[in-house]
Amino acid sequence: MKYFREILVSLSITLALLIFPAAAAALTLINMEMSADEFFRVGVQQLQRQNYQEAVKDFTAVIDLKADSAAAFSNRCLAYLQLEEYESAIADCSQAVELNSQNTESFLNRGLAYYRQGNYASAIADYNQVLKLKPIDFRAYYNRALAKSDLQHYQEALSDYNQTLSLMPIQDTFQLATVYNDRGTTRLMLNDNLGAIVDFSQSIYLNQQDYRTYFNRACANQRLSNYTAAIEDLTLALKLNPNYAEAYANRGIAYYQLGNEQQALLDLQKAANNFLFQENITAYQQTLDLLKQLKGEETVIA
């Protein structure tokens, strides 16, 4: 089985840290500071437009003019994060934290960079710092839950998902759907299949267009031998993603469990074809082996 998660990226921009020059400053200093402020404003606009390379250039210009700008380092960290340049992101967020230890966005984004590198312990340490400074930040709870889940600390992850759901704005329906889906996968890992189905169902209620959640609910139903329900969910997943190899494979297995060997073989062949197209050779070979096994059993039965 394959379960899915998505990381909630910190997209907050530290606009509140924009500082205008004091009126009493010398003329040359005012001009320099205003130039830095202008670069900062343009950099923020580039971030909002998802022009991350340009944002990096603008925040670099700010830093060249004003080396103690924690906001510029923090926002350039965010741009590097979006560009998947994680070492640069970590370096910038670390500098932002050194300049302003109260900036939760820097800790949050550095934590995400660590997470993307697979450094879950460091990510958790940064999320812990966010929660010390801002105990109601649901993003920190959510990202910490993901890291704890990857460390197989499922009970702790479940607690963080619960906190996330208690703090998230109810109008963020798509994000809520993602969190319910992720909590459901954690419940699966804890063998709470019924609880997982409840979470996946709530996720589907909030967002009916995510094929992965139907797949996950099908996995829970297959664990409970509810093969008919699993087939229904896998069919819905395939309507949303017709090339979903894993869904074909699992539906084939479910059909086989119900005695529909012909449909099982058809689905497994489709799964193998899609795995091959995706160049997932390991899954392709495993599916072929399963096909050979089932065909062999059919011959014996006949």
Side-chain angles (χ1 to χ4, degrees):
M1 296 181 187
K2 185 176 181 181
Y3 309 117
F4 290 86
R5 284 198 309 267
E6 290 187 1
I7 298 174
L8 184 66
V9 178
S10 165
L11 293 177
S12 296
I13 300 170
T14 53
L15 290 169
L17 296 177
L18 177 59
I19 300 173
F20 291 95
L27 180 60
T28 55
L29 181 60
I30 290 177
N31 290 335
M32 183 180 72
E33 292 297 306
M34 289 181 66
S35 179
D37 291 339
E38 184 60 28
F39 274 120
F40 189 94
R41 282 190 285 268
V42 174
V44 169
Q45 292 171 359
Q46 298 289 10
L47 274 180
Q48 293 170 333
R49 295 168 184 163
Q50 300 182 11
N51 297 329
Y52 302 120
Q53 292 283 9
E54 295 303 315
V56 166
K57 293 177 182 178
D58 288 319
F59 291 124
T60 299
V62 176
I63 292 165
D64 288 342
L65 293 168
K66 190 177 179 182
D68 62 347
S69 175
F73 278 109
S74 183
N75 284 356
R76 193 173 69 173
C77 166
L78 177 54
Y80 278 132
L81 186 59
Q82 298 295 338
L83 292 168
E84 300 183 1
E85 298 181 24
Y86 301 127
E87 287 296 335
S88 295
I90 289 168
D92 271 3
C93 276
S94 297
Q95 185 64 32
V97 166
E98 185 174 334
L99 291 167
N100 180 4
S101 62
Q102 303 302 303
N103 184 357
T104 58
E105 300 303 317
S106 298
F107 285 111
L108 192 68
N109 290 327
R110 188 175 68 178
L112 185 51
Y114 280 132
Y115 178 88
R116 296 273 180 84
Q117 290 185 323
N119 187 348
Y120 304 127
S122 293
I124 289 170
D126 274 346
Y127 300 143
N128 289 343
Q129 188 62 33
V130 174
L131 292 170
K132 286 181 181 178
L133 297 169
K134 191 177 178 183
I136 61 171
D137 195 321
F138 70 88
R139 300 169 302 169
Y141 280 113
Y142 176 75
N143 286 359
R144 192 173 70 176
L146 293 174
K148 288 182 175 179
S149 182
D150 281 317
L151 289 173
Q152 300 183 17
H153 299 165
Y154 299 120
Q155 200 62 54
E156 294 179 18
L158 184 63
S159 177
D160 276 350
Y161 284 129
N162 293 340
Q163 287 280 40
T164 303
L165 289 167
S166 71
L167 293 168
M168 282 186 72
I170 60 174
Q171 64 267 27
D172 292 342
T173 54
F174 286 103
Q175 289 189 353
L176 279 169
T178 298
V179 178
Y180 276 112
N181 177 63
D182 292 345
R183 190 174 72 172
T185 64
T186 297
R187 284 180 162 164
L188 274 181
M189 302 310 294
L190 291 169
N191 294 315
D192 180 10
N193 299 309
L194 290 175
I197 289 172
V198 171
D199 274 350
F200 295 140
S201 297
Q202 182 63 21
S203 180
I204 290 168
Y205 172 77
L206 293 167
N207 178 13
Q208 299 178 17
Q209 302 305 310
D210 192 339
Y211 63 90
R212 301 165 305 173
T213 313
Y214 292 105
F215 177 86
N216 288 346
R217 190 169 68 175
C219 291
N221 274 309
Q222 282 180 292
R223 283 187 172 191
L224 295 170
S225 300
N226 295 334
Y227 299 116
T228 300
I231 288 169
E232 290 175 357
D233 275 341
L234 292 166
T235 300
L236 289 168
L238 286 164
K239 285 183 179 179
L240 293 168
N241 183 359
N243 301 315
Y244 196 2
E246 290 88 347
Y248 279 119
N250 279 23
R251 193 174 71 171
I253 293 169
Y255 273 126
Y256 186 80
Q257 293 293 336
L258 290 175
N260 189 340
E261 290 138 350
Q262 182 178 5
Q263 187 60 53
L265 294 174
L266 287 172
D267 272 356
L268 289 170
Q269 187 60 59
K270 289 178 181 178
N273 293 341
N274 279 284
F275 281 132
L276 182 61
F277 181 77
Q278 297 164 13
E279 299 183 354
N280 187 342
I281 303 304
T282 299
Y284 170 68
Q285 190 59 56
Q286 290 174 341
T287 307
L288 285 185
D289 291 343
L290 181 56
L291 273 167
K292 291 177 182 178
Q293 179 185 346
L294 296 186
K295 288 178 179 179
E297 290 179 3
E298 268 198 285
T299 302
V300 173
I301 292 172

